[in-house]
Amino acid sequence: MSLLCQTDAWSTLDVDGLAQLYNSEITMLLDQLAWVAQRRDYATLRQRKREMFWRNKIDIERKNPRQLWRSVDALMGRRRIPPCDTINATEFHRFFDAKVDGVRATTANAPPPSFSTVPPGCSLHAFQSLVVEDVVAAIRALPDEQSADDPPLTRLLKENVDVLAPFLVELHNWSLQTGSVPTSFKSAYITPLLKKTNFDPADPKSYRPIANLSTLSKLLERLVTRQLVSYLNAARLLPDLQSAYRAHHSTETAVTKVLSNILTALDTGDISKLTLLDLSAAFNTVNHDILLRRLAVSYSLGGTVLELVSVVPRRPHTVRPPQ
């Protein structure tokens, strides 16, 4: 409360004292009103900038549906995990391991897999050496995110790409030529992600494991993937109807193909029946011995190429509770 409203504060003052008290109190009041006005202007400007940011972001990502939906989820506050102190990292680790072991146990008595062979003349036993332009382009294509325990921030890496590129070329060429990976590249941090916001956050079954790698490890994966995909496309070893993990393909192209087949069947008077298969923990239960054998026999990978790919089964990981 202002001193002007308190009789005891000014009843004994002379005229100069009253004037001084008035001036000081009015000045303080005006400062408070100015602060309130500034706060109001700040809130208005912040809201305007926020709206402008999201409009620009949506316009930029309009041609990338996957990234667009991620941004919409972030804007709407979806996938934000409620705080849960009843499950620790050890329990998550045991649950994920038990789930994988359970799925593999159900297929333990399955017949041995068969492998198709590649056409003559198709093989990839060594990677091509990288140049500075390869690394610069790959760095600039990295998403602006990183693991919580990753020392180099992606933004800083992009800002200093011209300075760091020669060193990174030497580092990644060493991996490609020797078929080995630095120990620090192998570590993965597993963060449980709530599958749906209405799932019970206290139940480990409500989560899926998300592996976070270091920025340089993801950069190496992109550089390796570029050469592998180039070889697979040139040798025509990818299935014609595969939509996943291919440029200019997505769930939209897969759905379009299925819908086209259904409409074609209906036009010819045939009956259509759609069967959908959802594999539990599909990626986590891949048998790496079978995978490496298939890569060698069905895709003719060998030498340092296969040695580098074989690093995946030996990757150490750490599970931590949701942040």
Side-chain angles (χ1 to χ4, degrees):
M1 180 183 295
S2 172
L3 295 178
L4 298 179
C5 300
Q6 302 177 30
T7 305
D8 295 341
W10 50 264
S11 60
T12 58
L13 297 178
D14 59 16
V15 64
D16 291 331
L18 290 174
Q20 184 178 0
L21 177 63
Y22 173 82
N23 289 333
S24 63
E25 288 298 306
I26 290 299
T27 300
M28 183 181 301
L29 179 60
L30 291 175
D31 288 343
Q32 292 176 351
L33 293 176
W35 180 84
V36 171
Q38 288 292 330
R39 288 289 299 176
R40 187 181 297 112
D41 292 342
Y42 164 77
T44 302
L45 179 61
R46 184 173 182 272
Q47 181 64 25
R48 189 183 306 123
K49 291 292 185 181
R50 178 180 172 84
E51 292 176 357
M52 185 182 303
F53 168 81
W54 283 109
R55 285 198 186 99
N56 292 337
K57 190 173 182 64
I58 290 175
D59 288 340
I60 292 173
E61 297 174 351
R62 194 178 300 276
K63 295 182 180 180
N64 187 344
R66 177 180 298 180
Q67 185 60 44
L68 177 60
W69 279 113
R70 288 177 180 174
S71 299
V72 171
D73 286 341
L75 176 62
M76 302 298 293
R78 299 169 183 165
R79 296 186 178 276
R80 291 181 182 173
I81 303 175
C84 178
D85 300 328
T86 59
I87 314 177
N88 56 36
T90 301
E91 293 180 68
F92 275 118
H93 200 297
R94 290 173 180 170
F95 170 75
F96 292 144
D97 283 348
K99 182 177 181 180
V100 172
D101 292 341
V103 173
R104 288 181 174 173
T106 60
T107 59
N109 297 323
S114 59
F115 304 99
S116 59
T117 57
V118 297
C122 295
S123 65
L124 181 63
H125 288 195
F127 290 105
Q128 297 178 359
S129 295
L130 302 171
V131 296
V132 171
E133 289 75 12
D134 296 329
V135 173
V136 170
I139 290 176
R140 288 175 176 166
L142 286 172
D144 293 325
E145 56 188 27
Q146 58 277 322
S147 173
D149 295 277
D150 190 15
L153 299 176
T154 307
R155 178 176 59 83
L156 295 178
L157 184 62
K158 289 184 176 182
E159 292 176 353
N160 299 277
V161 61
D162 295 329
V163 177
L164 297 174
F167 168 78
L168 295 176
V169 169
E170 185 69 20
L171 175 62
H172 288 90
N173 270 335
W174 180 87
S175 292
L176 298 184
Q177 293 167 7
T178 62
S180 57
V181 176
T183 304
S184 60
F185 284 21
K186 301 178 184 178
S187 299
Y189 288 89
I190 309 298
T191 302
L193 179 66
L194 198 64
K195 297 178 181 179
K196 294 184 179 180
T197 54
N198 60 339
F199 280 13
D200 182 7
D203 187 353
K205 297 179 181 179
S206 302
Y207 296 83
R208 64 166 54 91
I210 303 298
N212 299 113
L213 304 174
S214 68
T215 301
L216 294 185
S217 179
K218 290 185 287 187
L219 177 60
L220 177 60
E221 284 191 354
R222 285 174 174 262
L223 295 170
V224 169
T225 299
R226 181 175 299 177
Q227 295 198 30
L228 282 178
V229 172
S230 176
Y231 160 71
L232 295 174
N233 285 330
R236 301 186 61 84
L237 296 178
L238 290 177
D240 293 335
L241 299 181
Q242 176 180 326
S243 289
Y245 313 109
R246 299 180 69 179
H248 312 300
H249 291 72
S250 65
T251 53
E252 294 180 1
T253 57
V255 171
T256 301
K257 175 61 177 176
V258 172
L259 180 60
S260 175
N261 290 343
I262 292 176
L263 294 177
T264 300
L266 292 176
D267 287 342
T268 57
D270 294 333
I271 298 176
S272 298
K273 184 176 182 180
L274 179 63
T275 302
L276 302 176
L277 177 63
D278 183 14
L279 300 177
S280 177
F283 285 98
N284 299 327
T285 55
V286 170
N287 186 302
H288 291 100
D289 292 333
I290 297 177
L291 173 62
L292 294 176
R293 179 63 177 165
R294 186 174 298 281
L295 291 176
V297 176
S298 301
Y299 296 92
S300 194
L301 301 185
T304 54
V305 174
L306 196 60
E307 290 178 11
L308 192 61
V309 175
S310 66
V311 169
V312 176
R314 303 192 300 270
R315 173 174 287 160
H317 59 273
T318 302
V319 178
R320 54 190 172 193
Q323 302 297 318

